[in-house]
Amino acid sequence: MRIIESKANPIIKRALKALSQPAEAGLILIEGHKLLKEAISSGAKPQMVFVEHPDSLNDMPELESVCFQVSRGLLREISSVQNPAEIIAFLTPQPAPDLDKAIKKAAKILLLDRLQDPGNIGTIIRTGEAMGIDLLIMLKGCCSIFNHKIARAAMGSNFRLPICHDADFSSVSELLQKYQTAMICADMEGKPVADFQFPLRAALVLGQEGKGLDQKILNECNSRLAIPMQGRVESLNVATSAAICLYEWARSRPAGLS
């Protein structure tokens, strides 16, 4: 295992750039053994792995060729948190699935429109996997899928759930029509989600925090669903709204089944 002692080392510089510009670097930051194992098992390729103590690599000896031993101070420099995990890695994720093939195969799709908060996106990804979503699509304008906060909030779901990112809405819309997939959106003016009977193939669309869905997308939706609320609350956090809608979808009996 190679030892790095200086922040000026090219490897550390590369890690710092990947930390600050993950999309440009094409790398995802993973911190901790559990998430790292999830990422590798999904097909992600480790490019740089950093540990303070060699023992941190005992259960993953196959990573030794890309692993570097650094001081606690350097580990903190390349971490996204003040108290870094024992192991930090930068990985090239598995390529996104082909959009056409992914939509054709999926019966339950979650579509995100211009969501910017990576924590919300990661939480939605994790909830989506838990509630049986087959595919998640992030339209252009969403936060970068390479953002480390998405990986942290998703807790490994971002490696297990098929995700198409930076997708064009026109292309997605054409494919949804091609494969007879209804487009349903969360909207305050819609019908109560608990009373809705989801079709066999559907894509649930969630809009940008604060501003909601683009009008073009609203116009193409087959149905609009609302979450009835009490008190003086006007709206819910998008991740909370997603969880409620996905739960109702998971427990409902799709239209067309007897």
Side-chain angles (χ1 to χ4, degrees), residues 71-139:
S71 67
R72 187 69 175 173
L74 281 180
L75 204 64
R76 190 176 291 114
E77 288 281 348
I78 57 177
S79 172
S80 65
V81 294
Q82 184 61 30
N83 295 309
E86 292 182 354
I87 189 166
I88 294 176
F90 293 86
L91 305 93
T92 303
Q94 188 177 34
D98 176 79
L99 186 63
D100 189 311
K101 293 179 180 178
I103 291 178
K104 180 181 180 180
K105 183 179 179 181
K108 298 177 70 173
I109 300 172
L110 194 54
L111 185 61
L112 307 184
D113 173 37
R114 295 171 297 148
L115 267 63
Q116 290 296 307
D117 188 301
N120 280 339
I121 293 174
T123 300
I124 289 170
I125 292 171
R126 187 181 183 193
T127 305
E129 183 191 20
M131 294 295 108
I133 291 298
D134 301 314
L135 171 67
L136 184 132
I137 301 174
M138 297 169 60
L139 297 176

Side-chain angles (χ1 to χ4, degrees), residues 30-42:
I30 295 296
E31 303 181 71
H33 286 84
K34 186 176 185 298
L35 284 184
L36 180 55
K37 289 179 179 178
E38 289 279 4
I40 293 172
S41 65
S42 78

